[in-house]
Amino acid sequence: MGVSVSVLASGSRGNSALVESSSTRILVDAGVSCRETFKRIKGLGEDPHALSAILITHEHSDHVYGLLVLARKLKIPVFMTAATHQAWSRAVREATGDRPALDKLECFEAGRGFQVGDIAVMPFTIPHDAVDPVGFTFRVEGAKLGFATDLGRLLMNVRDHLRGCDVLVLESNHDVEMLRNGPYPWSVKERVGSPTGHLSNKQLAEFLANDYDGSAAYVVLAHLSEQNNHPELAREAAEKALGSRQTLLHNRVLLAAQAEAMQPIRL
Ligand SMILES: [Zn+2]
Ligand SMILES: [Zn+2]
């Protein structure tokens, strides 16, 4: 079977991805409904009941919308930081009046690695306007996979964690011009473009052109804004940045979508 990565959904209306080894299957974020998550996993020819654990990056609804129902249905461990758990519980309580109970809650801390089956997980802090947001790297069967979306900047600690990855799932949220001229109210534009907001095509391209180590066979552009970006603009910016470095021509740029699951990347 080997290692595979599938982005099930990506964007401000819900995020979720599947990271698999021969024996372990992790759902990274649960931002779409349980029903839709199941549908997309089955669409890839996989069994949602075979999931081993759910990992949560932060409490924003586009990352936790389906969490409670998924956790109740699957009865598998849910990993998040204690602060994220608290913020999520409060939000659910305010919305429903009920304190959400997770049977198998596992709290982790950014910077401290842990194991899910045979997958070694390393959570790391990212700059984003949530209580304790993280990105992840996963190491298994000799491969390293890096996930960093929902971040306003690529700080040095993030760049360090992303070195040596065979697959990178990185945010390419908005085109700066489209955001500036787009329909969002000024306060939202400010938030998205701030150092704790979302990464632009340009910021990602700068990283790819100047600081990226070139290790990834696949660079997946994720969390694209439907209002303030266009998939071809994001792709063009990333490919141009990679193309500026001869040694990176083997890197493939893929686009994660909101409406449908991406075909799995198999290593
Ligand atoms: Zn998000
Ligand atoms: Zn967020």
Side-chain angles (χ1 to χ4, degrees), residues 216-246:
Y218 299 93
V219 177
V220 181
L221 309 182
H223 218 299
L224 268 68
S225 166
E226 290 176 303
Q227 299 277 356
N228 305 309
N229 208 350
H230 192 281
E232 285 318 309
L233 282 179
R235 180 196 289 280
E236 193 185 291
E239 285 185 342
K240 206 170 147 197
L242 292 170
S244 70
R245 296 167 62 183
Q246 278 297 320

Side-chain angles (χ1 to χ4, degrees), residues 58 60 62-63 128 150 198:
H58 65 296
H60 288 162
D62 58 319
H63 298 260
H128 187 54
D150 298 73
H198 291 277

